[in-house]
Amino acid sequence: MKRALLIGAALVATACDDGGGPALELEVDAAPTPADAAPPAPDAAAPDADLTDAAPPPPPPHLDAPLAWVYVDDPVTDEGQLTQVELARTDPEDGRLTNHAVEVFNCLNEEGGVVAMPDLGGLSLTVSLCHEVQVARPDADGNYLSIMPPEDESDPNDSFAEIMMYHQVTRARDYYFDSFGFTDLDVSLPALVNVQLKVEPPLSLGPFRPNPDGWYPLANAAFFPKEQWDLFASQFGLPPRDSDSIIFFQDQKDFAYDARVIFHEYTHAVIGFDRLSAQRVVDRYGLNPSTFSMHEGLADYFAASLADDAVIGRYVGQGGSGIRDIGDRKKCPDDVVAEPHANGQIIGSTLWAVRQRLGAEVTDQIVYRALEQFTQTTTFEEAAALMVAEAEAMDPALVEPLRAVFAESNFEICERSAPWVDFDVDRVWHRLPYTVEGTQSVGIAGFREGVPAYKQFHVDVPAEAPAVRVTWQALGGASFIGQPGPLRTPLDLALRHDAPIEFTYGDGVHMDLDHRVTPPLDEGVQTAVLSGDCLPAGGGRLHTLFLNTGGDPAQIVRMHAEVLDALPLDGTPILDCGGAGPIEGDAGVPAEDAGAIDAGAGDAGGAADAGLDAGLPDAAAADAG
Amino acid sequence: MRTLVIVAALALPAGAALAETPVARRAAEASVAALQRNGAAVRAAWQPGAATPARLTGLRVPTVGATPEARARGFLRAHPDLLALREAVLLSTRRSRQRTVVRLQQTHAGRPVVDRVVSITLDDAGAVRSVVNATAPLQQVKPTALDASAARALAVRHVLGRDDADLPTRVTPVVFALGTQGVEGFEVELSRVPFHEHLVVRVDGHAGEVIGVRDEVMH
C-alpha cells in the first residue's frame, strides 16, 4: 500500500526538537570496516567484462541473522564507532527491511511522492512529499555490511538510517515482548526515515526554511496514531491504513541515528492513545497537566532504561548533552509546566531514581504493570498509587523504598503551590513560560468564567508586613502557528490565606478562595500591591492562582513578588480586598460574588504606569515565550 | 473564608437533582463493602466528592464470559452500583503475559463521554483484579444547539480563520463532562496545510463555542 508521511508534525515546537543547533563533527570514517568483515558492494562484485552477456547474478541468500553496522546508541555515545550486529531476519526474501516489528521506508528527496495542492485562501501551494521506498537491500552475501553512515550527516536519502531504524525498533519490540509479553505492536509498524517535504512556491515559516534544493529540513521525530491517518491521507488521495506509524525527519542530523529517540517514539506507540491521552484534567488544585506528560515521561523512562543511560537524544541534542536528562531530578510543584516533555521529566526522573534504588528489572516491571491499568486521564498521583500496589504485589519490601523515592519529588502527593520566585523564561532550565489556558484552549467545558493555571504560587507574609507587590508579564494568543501576541484580557488572581485554592466539581466548578482581583493590564504587564484583607491576618502563607477569562492561552514570561516594608507611593494600584462594591473590569466574578473584591482595584488602574516594570526581572526577556 | 461558585456554565437549576451524588456514593460504598466482605485485601480509593471509586485493588472476583469484554461487562452488571456505569462502549482490549485489560468508555445516549474510561484488569483465570475508574454518573447533559455541520464550520473558522467547505474533516458527536454535569458537543478533526498537524477541535454544542484545540501527533 502506498503510504505518505506526516510532514508538519515538527512545526509545533517540542522538546524533541534539537533547536536547529550546529551539527556535530563526527568522524564516521573512523568506523570499523575491517576488510574481512566487509565484502565488496554488490555493484563492485560484478566482473568488468561480458556484462551484457552475463546471466543476472543470483539473488543474495536470505539469512536468518544478517550482519550490519549500527550505532548501538548513537554517534556521540558510541564516539563515532560502529558495531557489527546481527539483524533480525527479514520477512521478504529479497531482504527489504520488514519483519514482525517494523516496516522501514526511506523517504527519498525525489519525484514520486504524493503531492497536494491546497488553496490557502487565495494562495495556491504545491506540497510535495518525499518518495517512500524500501531502498536497503542485502549485499551479495546476504549481509548489509556495505551500508555505512554517509559522509554528510544531512544526507536526506541514506540507507544507513533504514538499518538503524530496523535494528532499533526490533530491539525495542523484543524488549517489550521479553520483559512484559507485549505483542500489540507485532504488526510491522511503519517507520519512515529521512523525511522532508517541499513547498512551492517556497515559504519561510518562522524557523522552517527550505534548503537551496527546495526541500524543508525538519528536526524532529513523531508518533502518528492510526486514528489520525485517514484525515491526513484523504487530502492526498491515499487509502486508510490500519496501524500507527513513527516518523523520523532529517535536518542537519538524522534522527534515526539516535537509538533512544527511536525507543522514545516506539514507547509512544506502546502506550497508544487509549492511555494517557488527555492533555489535562481537573483536580483539587485546578488544572493538572500530568496525564499527557506521562506519555512523554514514560517514553523517556523506558527509552533510558532500555539503553541503560538517562540522557535522551544525546546525538540530536545540542553539544552532545542530549535533549533531556532524566538523571536530573525534577519534582512537583517546582518543575510543573504545561509543556508535556518538560513536565514529563518529573515522572521520568522519579522513575530513574527508583531504578537506581531498586534495579532496572524490578522497576521496569512495577512501572509497566501499573501502566497496563492506566486510563486516558491517569495522573501522577494515581500512577504512583498503582505503582505502589504493583510493588506490594511483587514484594511488600519494595514499597517503603519506592515511596521514599516518590516522596523526594512529591510524586505521590503534591500540593501544587510553589513559592513565588523571580521567574524569567530565559533563565529557567526548561525555557518555557507558565501557561494559563484560555476558555478556547482548555478543552474542558465549564470554565467560561475563568480557567485556572496549572499551579499556584505562594508568598510567606510576615506578621508585620503591610503589603506584598506582585507583578507579571504575559503574552497571549497563538496556541499553534505563529508567535504569541500581546495579552488582550487581563489575568485574574485568586487569593487564599494559609491553604491552596481548592476546587470541587459537582453541579459546577466550585472554588474555595478568599478574594479574587484583577490588576490592570498595561502592555502585557499586570501589577498589584496586595494589602489589608488581601493578606492573611497576623501573617502567614498567601496562596495565589492565575485565572484566565480570555479565550486564548496566556503565556507568563516574567513574574516577581516582594514583601514591602511600607505601602508604595509610586501610584501602583493598592488592593486591600475589603471594599463592598463591584470593581470595574473584574469580568470573572459573578455579580452576586463581586462584593468580595476591593473597590479600590478598579479606580487605581489609571495610575498604574509608574511601577509596572519595577520589579520584573530583565525586561529584555519579555518576548521570549 | 468565602467560597465562590465561579462557574455557572454547567450548573443545574437550583436544587435540581443535587441529592443524587450522595445517594450514588452510598450505593457505591455498599458495593465496595460487599466486595471487601468477599476479599479482605480489597482497597478502594475515592476522589473528593466523587460518587464512585477511582480505584479498586486487591480484587479477585471470578467472572464468566466468552471474551474479556464480556467478563468485564459481567462484572459491572453483577455490581451495578459500584460505578453506576449504565452505558459504555469498548475502547480497547490489551493482553500481556498474565493479564488482560479491558477499557470501556462511558457513553450517554450513544455519544462517547470524552476522557471518561474505566480500565478493568483480568487475570489469566478471568478474575477481575483491579479497576481504575474515570467514569462518573452524569446528572444532567445539556443538549447541543448546533448540528454537526455547524460545529464543523465553527471549528474550521477557528483554526483557519475562514470557511473551507472542501477541507476534509471528521466530526464526532460527544459529551464533555465535568463533575456530574455534561454538555453535548463535537470533536472536529482536521488537518491544516502546509504543515499538517492533526488537530482536534472541541466544540461545546450548547454554548456554540470552541473550547479547545489540540494536536494529536506526539513527538
Side-chain angles (χ1 to χ4, degrees):
Chain A
M1 180 176 67
K2 178 71 177 172
R3 288 189 175 85
L5 46 101
L6 169 66
I7 57 176
L11 185 63
V12 181
T14 77
C16 283
D17 195 320
D18 75 347
L24 296 176
E25 298 294 334
L26 295 175
E27 296 294 333
V28 293
D29 289 341
T33 54
D36 58 349
D43 57 349
D48 58 2
D50 298 329
L51 285 176
T52 54
D53 296 333
H62 189 209
L63 302 182
D64 285 340
L67 300 175
W69 295 107
V70 299
Y71 293 117
V72 172
D73 283 300
D74 60 76
V76 175
T77 305
D78 297 351
E79 299 179 330
Q81 298 299 304
L82 296 167
T83 298
Q84 193 177 107
V85 297
E86 292 181 350
L87 297 181
R89 177 187 172 91
T90 65
D91 289 344
E93 293 282 332
D94 64 5
R96 279 175 290 132
L97 295 177
T98 300
N99 64 10
H100 58 287
V102 66
E103 182 178 29
V104 181
F105 291 86
N106 194 338
C107 206
L108 303 174
N109 285 8
E110 64 180 25
E111 292 184 1
V114 293
V115 176
M117 288 180 285
D119 185 343
L120 293 182
L123 173 62
S124 294
L125 296 176
T126 300
V127 181
S128 306
L129 309 180
C130 49
H131 185 203
E132 294 176 50
V133 184
Q134 289 193 281
V135 176
R137 291 291 190 281
D139 304 327
D141 64 353
N143 295 308
Y144 296 82
L145 293 168
S146 67
I147 300 177
M148 304 288 283
E151 289 189 11
D152 179 359
E153 293 172 66
S154 65
D155 184 336
N157 297 330
D158 71 298
S159 280
F160 183 71
E162 293 177 75
I163 296 288
M164 280 291 290
M165 183 62 68
Y166 181 78
H167 176 66
Q168 303 295 3
V169 169
T170 304
R171 187 178 161 199
R173 179 268 169 198
D174 289 349
Y175 161 79
Y176 280 104
F177 176 77
D178 294 343
S179 301
F180 316 114
F182 177 79
T183 57
D184 291 356
L185 283 179
D186 285 0
V187 291
S188 300
L189 182 73
L192 280 61
V193 300
N194 291 326
V195 173
Q196 295 187 341
L197 73 145
K198 182 182 282 188
V199 179
E200 294 174 314
L203 296 175
S204 290
L205 298 171
F208 302 98
R209 300 172 186 277
N211 285 328
D213 62 5
W215 291 93
Y216 281 71
L218 300 167
N220 219 321
F223 162 63
F224 198 80
K226 63 184 176 186
E227 290 81 1
Q228 277 68 57
W229 169 255
D230 294 0
L231 203 63
F232 170 74
S234 65
Q235 295 191 73
F236 293 94
L238 298 169
R241 67 182 176 200
D242 55 3
S243 71
D244 304 332
S245 56
I246 52 177
I247 316 284
F248 280 66
F249 300 96
Q250 173 72 57
D251 194 348
Q252 293 304 306
K253 297 173 185 176
D254 193 322
F255 275 60
Y257 294 1
D258 199 317
R260 274 164 254 170
V261 176
I262 295 175
F263 301 156
H264 174 102
E265 301 303 337
Y266 188 84
T267 302
H268 277 315
V270 169
I271 297 171
F273 228 67
D274 57 342
R275 298 184 285 204
L276 301 176
S277 57
Q279 277 195 310
R280 56 195 69 89
V281 298
V282 296
D283 70 5
R284 63 191 295 194
Y285 300 118
L287 281 190
N288 184 336
S290 65
T291 293
F292 191 60
S293 65
M294 272 199 286
H295 222 297
E296 298 295 345
L298 290 171
D300 279 353
Y301 171 73
F302 280 111
S305 191
L306 210 166
D308 197 24
D309 189 322
V311 177
I312 304 299
R314 193 186 294 278
Y315 165 64
V316 299
Q318 295 186 52
S321 59
I323 51 177
R324 287 182 294 279
D325 179 359
I326 62 170
D328 181 11
R329 195 71 181 270
K330 306 299 181 199
K331 65 181 184 178
C332 184
D334 305 45
D335 297 305
V336 169
V337 290
E339 204 286 320
H341 297 83
N343 202 51
Q345 290 184 71
I346 294 173
I347 182 174
S349 65
T350 297
L351 296 180
W352 189 258
V354 172
R355 186 182 188 272
Q356 290 177 311
R357 183 82 176 263
L358 302 180
E361 186 175 345
V362 167
T363 305
D364 290 1
Q365 289 294 332
I366 290 171
V367 175
Y368 187 87
R369 291 170 67 86
L371 167 64
E372 285 187 307
Q373 303 164 72
F374 285 4
T375 68
Q376 294 170 317
T377 55
T378 298
T379 61
F380 284 168
E381 180 179 323
E382 293 159 349
L386 287 168
M387 289 176 197
V388 169
E390 288 302 327
E392 187 170 22
M394 290 168 61
D395 179 356
L398 296 171
V399 172
E400 183 183 347
L402 177 67
R403 298 188 78 164
V405 177
F406 284 175
E408 291 166 5
S409 54
N410 301 320
F411 180 63
E412 190 173 9
I413 301 171
C414 178
E415 183 181 276
R416 269 199 325 281
S417 180
W420 266 83
V421 292
D422 277 356
F423 170 73
D424 179 337
V425 72
D426 271 351
R427 295 180 181 175
V428 289
W429 66 269
H430 47 68
R431 302 224 167 193
L432 294 164
Y434 287 131
T435 300
V436 188
E437 301 294 343
T439 57
Q440 294 194 324
S441 71
V442 66
I444 300 171
F447 283 114
R448 294 177 66 191
E449 305 297 333
V451 181
Y454 289 108
K455 67 178 176 183
Q456 303 180 23
F457 295 96
H458 61 255
V459 182
D460 288 324
V461 184
E464 68 279 7
V468 173
R469 184 202 303 268
V470 291
T471 184
W472 60 90
Q473 180 172 17
L475 306 173
S479 57
F480 282 96
I481 286 182
Q483 298 297 315
L487 184 68
R488 288 193 286 267
T489 305
L491 294 174
D492 291 0
L493 197 63
L495 309 175
R496 193 180 186 198
H497 305 161
D498 298 322
I501 292 106
E502 291 202 20
F503 290 77
T504 53
Y505 311 90
D507 56 324
V509 180
H510 298 259
M511 181 167 60
D512 279 350
L513 50 66
D514 291 325
H515 306 285
R516 176 170 174 167
V517 298
T518 311
L521 173 67
D522 188 316
E523 295 184 354
V525 177
Q526 290 179 261
T527 300
V529 172
L530 305 174
S531 66
D533 288 349
C534 293
L535 305 182
R541 181 161 286 185
L542 175 65
H543 294 267
T544 69
L545 173 65
F546 292 109
L547 299 166
N548 187 0
T549 59
D552 293 331
Q555 313 285 353
I556 297 172
V557 294
R558 290 188 295 154
M559 289 171 51
H560 175 74
E562 60 182 318
V563 176
L564 303 178
D565 295 332
L567 291 174
L569 302 175
D570 60 3
T572 305
I574 299 172
L575 312 180
D576 68 13
C577 299
I583 62 170
E584 294 178 11
D586 192 1
V589 182
E592 64 271 25
D593 295 314
I597 309 302
D598 178 14
D603 57 22
D609 290 354
L612 277 178
D613 270 320
L616 283 174
D618 188 9
D623 61 353
Chain B
M1 179 189 305
R2 239 182 292 211
T3 297
L4 297 183
V5 180
I6 64 164
V7 171
L10 293 179
L12 284 172
L18 291 179
E20 290 184 9
T21 295
V23 172
R25 170 76 178 232
R26 282 195 295 274
E29 287 174 341
S31 192
V32 170
L35 288 167
Q36 288 173 325
R37 281 194 294 275
N38 293 321
V42 176
R43 294 178 189 170
W46 304 74
Q47 294 293 344
T52 54
R55 188 172 58 255
L56 292 163
T57 55
L59 295 165
R60 193 184 294 269
V61 181
T63 60
V64 294
T67 65
E69 178 189 0
R71 288 177 177 274
R73 289 185 182 277
F75 169 77
L76 294 177
R77 276 196 303 274
H79 305 85
D81 295 330
L82 182 64
L83 305 184
L85 182 60
R86 308 295 181 227
E87 193 184 319
V89 295
L90 179 67
L91 181 64
S92 67
T93 300
R94 287 175 174 259
R95 295 176 180 81
S96 62
R97 191 156 287 145
Q98 294 175 327
R99 41 167 70 160
T100 299
V101 180
V102 177
R103 285 179 182 76
L104 300 172
Q105 176 154 32
Q106 183 176 355
T107 58
H108 176 85
R111 290 174 175 246
V113 183
V114 172
D115 292 341
R116 291 209 164 171
V117 171
V118 59
S119 162
I120 299 174
T121 300
L122 306 164
D123 63 19
D124 279 351
V128 172
R129 303 303 300 269
S130 72
V131 175
V132 179
N133 177 42
T135 71
L138 291 175
Q139 293 180 10
Q140 175 177 290
V141 176
K142 290 188 172 181
T144 180
L146 304 177
D147 61 15
S149 174
R152 179 201 176 279
L154 187 63
V156 170
R157 275 198 301 275
H158 184 82
V159 171
L160 301 184
R162 58 183 168 80
D163 296 324
D164 188 339
D166 298 327
L167 183 70
T169 56
R170 180 167 49 210
V171 184
T172 305
V174 299
V175 169
F176 301 111
L178 190 59
T180 62
Q181 304 300 298
V183 59
E184 290 183 348
F186 300 88
E187 287 195 330
V188 182
E189 297 173 60
L190 57 90
S191 206
R192 182 168 58 176
V193 292
F195 294 99
H196 291 68
E197 313 107 312
H198 283 249
L199 305 181
V200 178
V201 183
R202 290 184 172 178
V203 177
D204 177 337
H206 183 75
E209 294 177 348
V210 170
I211 58 168
V213 185
R214 66 172 297 179
D215 185 358
E216 299 224 332
V217 177
M218 291 179 227
H219 299 266

